[in-house]
Amino acid sequence: TQSDCSSAHHPTIMYSKMVSLVAVLAFVGLASAFSPLTTQTPRLGNSQLAMAPKFDPSTQKWETTGEEDLEGAYGPIGSLIRAGPKPFLIRLLNQDQYEQAVLKYMATQKVGRMEAQGNMDAYFENPNDWAFQKNAERNGAYKYDYATANTSPKQLVLSMMWTGVVVWYFSHLIPYVASGDYMKGAQGATLF
């Protein structure tokens, strides 16, 4: 009968609608991973400015004035997540240069440690892009929040997926090239 035929196809139609809905939601979730963050870190208030790092002329170095200068700091892995391997390696191999850059930025721009670290990570990763963005901000463009760059859960998942693909690719490519199979043609003849 007519009702038996329509009820037999009903679960299939329901299943295909659910699969379509899940696919659309997954696409929207993945696409939103590429959208910029809109959060901004607060600037230091007037009472906190007295606690900003100070330059010591005798040592020619920037120095913290108290524990407040260290609040909001994140570790080297935070630099790796926010800006990649370059600032991460600078933090590990040249800690004094990194610390001086952060303290100077805190003092001159009157910002907290987290914002200064984010900006210095971006600077060490690509000074030209960082300077271009800062110039655009002075001319009224959107203020990019380097302190929280790439730290949303969606961005972390996306970064981990890309890292997995790159590691997988090179873990297969390197042994393939090292074995000499890369240089063989279709019939086993050497290409070069």
Side-chain angles (χ1 to χ4, degrees), residues 33 35-39 41 74-75 77-83 114 118 121 144-159:
S35 64
L37 297 172
T38 57
T39 60
T41 53
Y74 55 82
I77 299 298
S79 294
L80 180 65
I81 290 169
R82 286 168 177 82
M114 190 171 185
D121 287 342
Y144 188 77
D145 186 7
Y146 291 108
T148 59
N150 302 323
T151 58
S152 73
K154 287 185 270 184
Q155 186 63 41
L156 291 172
V157 168
L158 183 63
S159 295

Side-chain angles (χ1 to χ4, degrees), residues 26-43:
F27 178 75
V28 168
L30 185 60
S32 68
F34 291 98
S35 64
L37 297 172
T38 57
T39 60
Q40 297 209 4
T41 53
R43 292 196 169 267

Side-chain angles (χ1 to χ4, degrees), residues 12-108:
T12 305
I13 293 171
M14 186 82 133
Y15 177 74
S16 66
K17 285 183 178 180
M18 285 178 35
V19 168
S20 298
L21 179 63
V22 169
V24 167
L25 290 174
F27 178 75
V28 168
L30 185 60
S32 68
F34 291 98
S35 64
L37 297 172
T38 57
T39 60
Q40 297 209 4
T41 53
R43 292 196 169 267
L44 295 175
N46 288 338
S47 63
Q48 293 172 307
L49 291 180
M51 299 295 192
K54 305 276 187 220
F55 185 74
D56 184 358
S58 64
T59 62
Q60 294 292 306
K61 291 190 176 214
W62 290 91
E63 297 177 352
T64 60
T65 55
E67 291 296 315
E68 294 82 12
D69 291 340
L70 302 175
E71 287 179 10
Y74 55 82
I77 299 298
S79 294
L80 180 65
I81 290 169
R82 286 168 177 82
K86 230 166 139 180
F88 172 74
L89 291 173
I90 289 173
R91 276 190 83 163
L92 294 180
L93 302 175
N94 198 344
Q95 295 173 358
D96 189 53
Q97 175 192 5
Y98 182 85
E99 184 65 16
Q100 287 299 302
V102 169
L103 293 174
K104 181 178 180 181
Y105 193 86
M106 287 174 66
T108 59

